[in-house]
Amino acid sequence: MKLDLRPLLAGERLLEFDYELPLDSHTEDTTSFLWGTRFPSPMKVTGNITNTAGYMRMCLSLSVDYVAQCARCLSAVEGQFSLSLEKTVAPKDLLGDITEDKLDDFAIIEDGFLDMDEQLLLQLEMEFPLRFLCKEDCKGLCQRCGKDLNEGPCSCTEKEIDPRMEPLRKLLLKMQEEEKEDQK
Ligand SMILES: [Zn+2]
Ligand SMILES: [Zn+2]
């Protein structure tokens, strides 16, 4: 959604907003931070922009319910993610040659409008957890037989591996390697 800031630019003091932003939960892009996570309902966004003698400040909070996957045992992890943020709102031409790293502190008005969705998705990408665990000490799945070790030990003393489980075993090995990478 694009907020029309022209009234504020013309001297109004307050703009309140309250809307919902649906998140694409079936994204095919495996590099997306949203991949593997479902959002059963749209993200809720509420906030306001105040204008004090030309100085504009935005306060907002957002929350969204998610269903993610435990990085170890693949079970569903449900939760709610929320954050609040404050930014200075300024027209692009006023910011001039501000440095890239400072730009994050600003919400930028272009042609009288503020593109909220792009900002919110960027913010979500920065803050949304990269991996979820169903519980801190999740034991994960057995790499050989795929049994959920949270439910008890498996009987992998026998050498035999069900060949049907081989693809899953490889996937788990890969995920565990990636997890080690992440922890570096
Ligand atoms: Zn788990
Ligand atoms: Zn096993």
Side-chain angles (χ1 to χ4, degrees):
M1 148 154 171
K2 285 192 176 186
L3 287 179
D4 184 356
L5 296 201
R6 288 172 301 183
L8 285 180
L9 291 167
E12 289 269 325
R13 295 182 146 206
L14 177 68
L15 173 75
E16 291 182 301
F17 52 87
D18 185 342
Y19 72 102
E20 296 192 337
L21 172 61
L23 294 174
D24 180 10
S25 52
H26 304 288
T27 175
E28 301 286 312
D29 179 4
T30 54
T31 61
S32 163
F33 71 102
L34 297 180
W35 191 75
T37 304
R38 286 192 303 114
F39 298 94
S41 50
M43 179 158 83
K44 294 185 181 62
V45 186
T46 57
N48 61 58
I49 300 175
T50 52
N51 176 15
T52 314
Y55 175 74
M56 285 188 257
R57 192 87 181 140
M58 174 171 73
C59 298
L60 73 75
S61 38
L62 61 84
S63 72
V64 64
D65 295 327
Y66 62 78
V67 184
Q69 227 176 24
C70 174
R72 288 184 196 152
C73 73
L74 310 182
S75 67
V77 182
E78 290 181 32
Q80 188 183 62
F81 177 80
S82 55
L83 65 86
S84 14
L85 62 96
E86 283 192 34
K87 281 183 190 236
T88 300
V89 183
K92 199 173 189 178
D93 46 333
L94 271 192
L95 291 175
D97 45 25
I98 190 161
T99 53
E100 191 93 356
D101 58 317
K102 282 275 194 323
L103 219 52
D104 274 350
D105 302 332
F106 290 92
I108 297 163
I109 310 170
E110 285 188 80
D111 301 323
F113 288 84
L114 188 61
D115 188 342
M116 296 294 289
D117 299 353
E118 198 185 345
Q119 298 249 348
L120 293 177
L121 287 175
L122 275 173
Q123 200 70 37
L124 193 65
E125 182 163 11
M126 281 192 282
E127 317 259 350
F128 200 70
L130 282 174
R131 56 195 277 282
F132 292 87
L133 291 179
C134 60
K135 54 180 183 245
E136 272 309 312
D137 60 345
C138 172
K139 295 189 176 73
L141 305 182
C142 171
Q143 288 181 25
R144 300 190 130 212
C145 69
K147 183 183 153 103
D148 186 344
L149 298 176
N150 296 306
E151 290 164 5
C154 59
S155 48
C156 269
T157 41
E158 301 141 57
K159 288 271 165 5
E160 214 66 45
I161 301 168
D162 186 337
R164 287 168 304 178
M165 296 311 285
E166 187 58 17
L168 178 62
R169 193 180 73 89
K170 281 192 178 142
L171 177 70
L172 285 169
L173 270 173
K174 189 164 162 281
M175 284 173 59
Q176 281 175 356
E177 273 160 28
E178 280 167 4
E179 197 176 318
K180 275 181 209 145
E181 287 291 311
D182 285 350
Q183 283 166 355
K184 271 180 196 162

